[in-house]
Amino acid sequence: MNQHEFEIALQQLLAHSLSSATFEEVKPVAEALLYSEFLPTAFSKLNALETRRLVFLLEKFSRYACSSVFRRTQLKAYSTNLSERFTSSNILQNTFATDPLAKKLGLDEDLNHLKSQLLSLQTRHHQQSFT
């Protein structure tokens, strides 16, 4: 995957609710965020909801210990920079079974339905096959 392919996959993922995303849609983005040097470059073209989804993905995958400390720090810094646009008024209350991180970002959608599949991306074997 190259930067352009990453951008296309990311834009396609951000265009729809994360709760309806399939593993096949999330996997290339997750792999790129976890194991590559790619960062989104076209975020200025995103609307507010797509930007919140992007921040969610960046923060979510910055918490996966399978990537390097440098990469996790890079994703976290990038998400922090983007999330400065949001105020506490975006926080959702009483959204049943939504990821707390998603709620914090004003989303009522998440990737919980793909949790077991996404965890498979964290294995040492998977990391070696991606690089």
Side-chain angles (χ1 to χ4, degrees):
M1 172 178 280
N2 61 35
Q3 179 71 36
H4 180 69
E5 293 168 332
F6 166 67
E7 294 284 345
I8 290 171
L10 181 61
Q11 289 174 1
Q12 290 173 343
L13 180 60
L14 297 176
H16 305 287
S17 170
L18 296 175
S19 293
S20 64
T22 65
F23 183 64
E24 291 73 30
E25 293 169 320
V26 176
K27 182 180 178 185
V29 172
E31 287 177 330
L33 291 174
L34 291 170
Y35 304 122
S36 79
E37 300 173 4
F38 306 140
L39 288 170
T41 59
F43 63 86
S44 62
K45 297 177 184 177
L46 302 176
N47 65 37
L49 179 57
E50 292 167 336
T51 302
R52 286 196 308 269
R53 288 175 181 151
L54 174 57
V55 171
F56 172 78
L57 293 172
L58 291 167
E59 288 203 20
K60 186 77 165 175
F61 293 116
S62 74
R63 297 173 183 194
Y64 281 37
C66 56
S67 56
S68 70
V69 172
F70 175 78
R71 183 61 174 174
R72 292 192 312 266
T73 303
Q74 188 180 37
L75 293 176
K76 184 64 178 162
Y78 200 86
S79 69
T80 299
N81 184 37
L82 285 176
S83 67
E84 290 175 355
R85 302 177 184 191
F86 307 112
T87 64
S88 60
S89 64
N90 288 331
I91 298 174
L92 294 177
Q93 304 295 328
N94 303 324
T95 306
F96 181 72
T98 301
D99 185 306
L101 174 59
K103 285 185 206 179
K104 173 185 161 195
L105 296 169
L107 294 171
D108 62 353
E109 56 193 67
D110 56 34
L111 296 174
N112 284 344
H113 64 289
L114 300 175
K115 188 179 292 187
S116 63
Q117 292 168 302
L118 290 172
L119 288 174
S120 72
L121 298 179
Q122 294 189 62
T123 65
R124 189 173 299 131
H125 176 267
H126 183 83
Q127 180 180 5
Q128 292 169 351
S129 69
F130 181 76
T131 55

